[in-house]
Amino acid sequence: MPAIETGQLGKVFVGLARRHCVPSAQLAIHVDGRTVAMTAGEVSADAKFPVGSITKAFTASLAMLLVADDDLDVDDRIGTHLAELGTNADSLGGKLTVRQIMSHTSGLPSSFGEGLQEAASRRRYLLDCREQSLVHPPGSGFSYSNVGFVLVGRIVEEITGMSWWDAIDALLLKPLSIVPAFVVRPDSRFPLDSFVSGHAVSESTGKALAVAQTIRVTDAPCGALALSAKDLVAFGHAHVTGCTDPSVSAPLDPDVFREMRRVISVAEPFGLADGWGLGLAVFRGPDTDWFGHDGNADGTSCHLRIDPTNDRVVALTTNANTGAALWEDLVDELRALDIPVGDYVAPELKQRMPASGDVLGRYANGDIEYAVDAGDDDKIILRIDGETYPELILHEDWLFSVQQPASGRRILGGRFLRDPSGGRVSGIQTGGRVASRRKSSTHAS
């Protein structure tokens, strides 16, 4: 970008952070062969932000390094590497492949075992996985799963003989000259790394309240990294050109990561992105497809986009839950500067449908229960783990809108899924996660 445009963007960026009450943020952009970085608030360009689920893109990339060394195949049954999950055809380990869990098409629940003690053994977690119900048959659809990436991390540990923390640092981050921070460590004897605190912003007052990170050690491969926007750009750039720094002893070949960008045909990540590969989401841009991931840790919102066709990378880190709204505005500003960033656009809510008793019932994804009940005046009520949305409205294509409890705004909530053979409502998909109807649920015919 010309210098004047960089300066203008910097002013706009600071203004957006203030508008959305974000205490601190970083923006890094690689375009036309150079990288520029800017900050908003009292933070340095090298500060580390908890990047949440963007960690999954790093864990997937680490797994692909093992694929390149012929230590792993994405079509391996996961029981090949995790014997606790079983190896016979009807066991979890015999049913699921590495490709399926890395593309969120395995049917594994989003999470489970919220009450598990941190001291629970690796074996105990894997044995508990065997007891979980799949939300759909393997390879038949998309449902975002943290559990799947815990398993990817365990596979990495099994193959390398290293902890996930050591493996991702030594094999992936060091070649990129990235010094990470980790939100959680496997041993309490190690001090926690320094990273920027997340904040919850009140919609009514705009006041930002610092919040602690609550991720479990068990779930580290899903979301334990803390990185700067510049770190994210370095990672994204390596996916396009590799690592050619002569000072690096083990340069990364971009061909290693190419398979991650191959879109899985059955992966329809409704509510999250336009498509999905292996650890990377697909976002449609005005001129080409962009790849990347979004991440929300406790009180942070971070975003990564990669355009492999034109060698462009954009990364945003923020330390507030309102950072997602900042990102939406920033995408418009970048497009005005001829950086046509790809981003997901949720479908429009079409004509309202009559309330249908077919949607009533109980749905589950791991430990999370979704209750859809009839209320007063023929209204439909949605409850998700005790949080109540007082009026669910059905729209065409079985989309539904809900009223946010805090703001009162009506937003797209998700969609109901129907069995292709009989047309009966079989599940609910919200935030990319599928909850399947409990067999004991009753509903009006």
PDB file of all heavy atoms in Angstrom, residues 290-305:
ATOM      1  N   TRP A 290     -10.409 -16.625  -0.085  1.00  0.00           N
ATOM      2  CA  TRP A 290      -9.427 -16.438   0.974  1.00  0.00           C
ATOM      3  C   TRP A 290      -9.591 -17.594   1.954  1.00  0.00           C
ATOM      4  O   TRP A 290     -10.680 -18.135   2.108  1.00  0.00           O
ATOM      5  CB  TRP A 290      -9.632 -15.116   1.692  1.00  0.00           C
ATOM      6  CG  TRP A 290      -9.328 -13.892   0.876  1.00  0.00           C
ATOM      7  CD1 TRP A 290      -9.960 -13.491  -0.261  1.00  0.00           C
ATOM      8  CD2 TRP A 290      -8.328 -12.901   1.138  1.00  0.00           C
ATOM      9  NE1 TRP A 290      -9.421 -12.318  -0.723  1.00  0.00           N
ATOM     10  CE2 TRP A 290      -8.408 -11.930   0.122  1.00  0.00           C
ATOM     11  CE3 TRP A 290      -7.374 -12.733   2.141  1.00  0.00           C
ATOM     12  CZ2 TRP A 290      -7.585 -10.811   0.081  1.00  0.00           C
ATOM     13  CZ3 TRP A 290      -6.538 -11.620   2.106  1.00  0.00           C
ATOM     14  CH2 TRP A 290      -6.636 -10.681   1.076  1.00  0.00           C
ATOM     15  N   PHE A 291      -8.498 -17.958   2.609  1.00  0.00           N
ATOM     16  CA  PHE A 291      -8.508 -19.034   3.589  1.00  0.00           C
ATOM     17  C   PHE A 291      -8.063 -18.476   4.935  1.00  0.00           C
ATOM     18  O   PHE A 291      -7.383 -17.453   5.000  1.00  0.00           O
ATOM     19  CB  PHE A 291      -7.584 -20.171   3.145  1.00  0.00           C
ATOM     20  CG  PHE A 291      -8.012 -20.804   1.856  1.00  0.00           C
ATOM     21  CD1 PHE A 291      -7.704 -20.209   0.631  1.00  0.00           C
ATOM     22  CD2 PHE A 291      -8.743 -21.985   1.845  1.00  0.00           C
ATOM     23  CE1 PHE A 291      -8.108 -20.776  -0.568  1.00  0.00           C
ATOM     24  CE2 PHE A 291      -9.155 -22.553   0.654  1.00  0.00           C
ATOM     25  CZ  PHE A 291      -8.837 -21.952  -0.558  1.00  0.00           C
ATOM     26  N   GLY A 292      -8.429 -19.149   6.012  1.00  0.00           N
ATOM     27  CA  GLY A 292      -8.014 -18.662   7.314  1.00  0.00           C
ATOM     28  C   GLY A 292      -8.840 -19.245   8.439  1.00  0.00           C
ATOM     29  O   GLY A 292      -9.378 -20.356   8.334  1.00  0.00           O
ATOM     30  N   HIS A 293      -8.966 -18.465   9.503  1.00  0.00           N
ATOM     31  CA  HIS A 293      -9.696 -18.925  10.683  1.00  0.00           C
ATOM     32  C   HIS A 293     -10.004 -17.718  11.546  1.00  0.00           C
ATOM     33  O   HIS A 293      -9.256 -16.728  11.548  1.00  0.00           O
ATOM     34  CB  HIS A 293      -8.855 -19.926  11.487  1.00  0.00           C
ATOM     35  CG  HIS A 293      -9.646 -21.014  12.135  1.00  0.00           C
ATOM     36  ND1 HIS A 293     -10.532 -20.767  13.172  1.00  0.00           N
ATOM     37  CD2 HIS A 293      -9.687 -22.353  11.919  1.00  0.00           C
ATOM     38  CE1 HIS A 293     -11.079 -21.916  13.554  1.00  0.00           C
ATOM     39  NE2 HIS A 293     -10.597 -22.895  12.810  1.00  0.00           N
ATOM     40  N   ASP A 294     -11.105 -17.794  12.291  1.00  0.00           N
ATOM     41  CA  ASP A 294     -11.419 -16.805  13.317  1.00  0.00           C
ATOM     42  C   ASP A 294     -11.217 -17.465  14.672  1.00  0.00           C
ATOM     43  O   ASP A 294     -11.340 -18.685  14.808  1.00  0.00           O
ATOM     44  CB  ASP A 294     -12.874 -16.328  13.198  1.00  0.00           C
ATOM     45  CG  ASP A 294     -13.132 -15.572  11.904  1.00  0.00           C
ATOM     46  OD1 ASP A 294     -12.195 -14.919  11.400  1.00  0.00           O
ATOM     47  OD2 ASP A 294     -14.266 -15.632  11.389  1.00  0.00           O
ATOM     48  N   GLY A 295     -10.917 -16.644  15.676  1.00  0.00           N
ATOM     49  CA  GLY A 295     -10.692 -17.191  17.007  1.00  0.00           C
ATOM     50  C   GLY A 295     -11.220 -16.287  18.092  1.00  0.00           C
ATOM     51  O   GLY A 295     -10.932 -15.079  18.089  1.00  0.00           O
ATOM     52  N   ASN A 296     -11.992 -16.853  18.992  1.00  0.00           N
ATOM     53  CA  ASN A 296     -12.510 -16.103  20.139  1.00  0.00           C
ATOM     54  C   ASN A 296     -12.097 -16.823  21.412  1.00  0.00           C
ATOM     55  O   ASN A 296     -12.603 -17.908  21.704  1.00  0.00           O
ATOM     56  CB  ASN A 296     -14.039 -16.005  20.076  1.00  0.00           C
ATOM     57  CG  ASN A 296     -14.508 -15.238  18.857  1.00  0.00           C
ATOM     58  OD1 ASN A 296     -14.218 -14.069  18.693  1.00  0.00           O
ATOM     59  ND2 ASN A 296     -15.239 -15.922  17.980  1.00  0.00           N
ATOM     60  N   ALA A 297     -11.165 -16.225  22.143  1.00  0.00           N
ATOM     61  CA  ALA A 297     -10.829 -16.716  23.474  1.00  0.00           C
ATOM     62  C   ALA A 297     -11.686 -15.930  24.468  1.00  0.00           C
ATOM     63  O   ALA A 297     -12.624 -15.233  24.078  1.00  0.00           O
ATOM     64  CB  ALA A 297      -9.336 -16.542  23.741  1.00  0.00           C
ATOM     65  N   ASP A 298     -11.402 -16.035  25.754  1.00  0.00           N
ATOM     66  CA  ASP A 298     -12.156 -15.279  26.742  1.00  0.00           C
ATOM     67  C   ASP A 298     -11.844 -13.792  26.582  1.00  0.00           C
ATOM     68  O   ASP A 298     -10.739 -13.338  26.918  1.00  0.00           O
ATOM     69  CB  ASP A 298     -11.795 -15.741  28.154  1.00  0.00           C
ATOM     70  CG  ASP A 298     -12.274 -17.152  28.432  1.00  0.00           C
ATOM     71  OD1 ASP A 298     -13.494 -17.354  28.502  1.00  0.00           O
ATOM     72  OD2 ASP A 298     -11.423 -18.051  28.550  1.00  0.00           O
ATOM     73  N   GLY A 299     -12.817 -13.026  26.032  1.00  0.00           N
ATOM     74  CA  GLY A 299     -12.632 -11.589  25.881  1.00  0.00           C
ATOM     75  C   GLY A 299     -11.672 -11.177  24.792  1.00  0.00           C
ATOM     76  O   GLY A 299     -11.158 -10.056  24.810  1.00  0.00           O
ATOM     77  N   THR A 300     -11.429 -12.040  23.802  1.00  0.00           N
ATOM     78  CA  THR A 300     -10.626 -11.644  22.646  1.00  0.00           C
ATOM     79  C   THR A 300     -11.336 -12.090  21.373  1.00  0.00           C
ATOM     80  O   THR A 300     -12.130 -13.028  21.382  1.00  0.00           O
ATOM     81  CB  THR A 300      -9.207 -12.257  22.650  1.00  0.00           C
ATOM     82  OG1 THR A 300      -9.277 -13.665  22.366  1.00  0.00           O
ATOM     83  CG2 THR A 300      -8.504 -12.037  23.981  1.00  0.00           C
ATOM     84  N   SER A 301     -11.050 -11.397  20.274  1.00  0.00           N
ATOM     85  CA  SER A 301     -11.573 -11.763  18.965  1.00  0.00           C
ATOM     86  C   SER A 301     -10.475 -11.513  17.947  1.00  0.00           C
ATOM     87  O   SER A 301     -10.004 -10.375  17.807  1.00  0.00           O
ATOM     88  CB  SER A 301     -12.820 -10.936  18.633  1.00  0.00           C
ATOM     89  OG  SER A 301     -13.361 -11.327  17.382  1.00  0.00           O
ATOM     90  N   CYS A 302     -10.043 -12.570  17.261  1.00  0.00           N
ATOM     91  CA  CYS A 302      -8.911 -12.479  16.340  1.00  0.00           C
ATOM     92  C   CYS A 302      -9.289 -13.114  14.997  1.00  0.00           C
ATOM     93  O   CYS A 302     -10.111 -14.034  14.945  1.00  0.00           O
ATOM     94  CB  CYS A 302      -7.685 -13.177  16.930  1.00  0.00           C
ATOM     95  SG  CYS A 302      -7.190 -12.514  18.543  1.00  0.00           S
ATOM     96  N   HIS A 303      -8.652 -12.625  13.917  1.00  0.00           N
ATOM     97  CA  HIS A 303      -9.057 -13.025  12.573  1.00  0.00           C
ATOM     98  C   HIS A 303      -7.833 -13.127  11.667  1.00  0.00           C
ATOM     99  O   HIS A 303      -6.962 -12.247  11.695  1.00  0.00           O
ATOM    100  CB  HIS A 303     -10.055 -12.012  12.011  1.00  0.00           C
ATOM    101  CG  HIS A 303     -11.221 -11.768  12.920  1.00  0.00           C
ATOM    102  ND1 HIS A 303     -12.420 -12.440  12.792  1.00  0.00           N
ATOM    103  CD2 HIS A 303     -11.348 -10.951  14.004  1.00  0.00           C
ATOM    104  CE1 HIS A 303     -13.242 -12.037  13.750  1.00  0.00           C
ATOM    105  NE2 HIS A 303     -12.620 -11.137  14.499  1.00  0.00           N
ATOM    106  N   LEU A 304      -7.799 -14.181  10.857  1.00  0.00           N
ATOM    107  CA  LEU A 304      -6.705 -14.407   9.912  1.00  0.00           C
ATOM    108  C   LEU A 304      -7.285 -14.741   8.551  1.00  0.00           C
ATOM    109  O   LEU A 304      -8.167 -15.600   8.436  1.00  0.00           O
ATOM    110  CB  LEU A 304      -5.817 -15.565  10.393  1.00  0.00           C
ATOM    111  CG  LEU A 304      -4.756 -16.068   9.393  1.00  0.00           C
ATOM    112  CD1 LEU A 304      -3.712 -14.987   9.137  1.00  0.00           C
ATOM    113  CD2 LEU A 304      -4.095 -17.344   9.921  1.00  0.00           C
ATOM    114  N   ARG A 305      -6.791 -14.055   7.504  1.00  0.00           N
ATOM    115  CA  ARG A 305      -7.200 -14.333   6.127  1.00  0.00           C
ATOM    116  C   ARG A 305      -5.961 -14.436   5.236  1.00  0.00           C
ATOM    117  O   ARG A 305      -5.042 -13.615   5.330  1.00  0.00           O
ATOM    118  CB  ARG A 305      -8.110 -13.221   5.588  1.00  0.00           C
ATOM    119  CG  ARG A 305      -9.412 -13.035   6.353  1.00  0.00           C
ATOM    120  CD  ARG A 305     -10.371 -14.204   6.134  1.00  0.00           C
ATOM    121  NE  ARG A 305     -11.656 -13.961   6.769  1.00  0.00           N
ATOM    122  CZ  ARG A 305     -11.947 -14.285   8.021  1.00  0.00           C
ATOM    123  NH1 ARG A 305     -11.020 -14.848   8.784  1.00  0.00           N
ATOM    124  NH2 ARG A 305     -13.153 -14.038   8.513  1.00  0.00           N
TER     125      ARG A 305
END
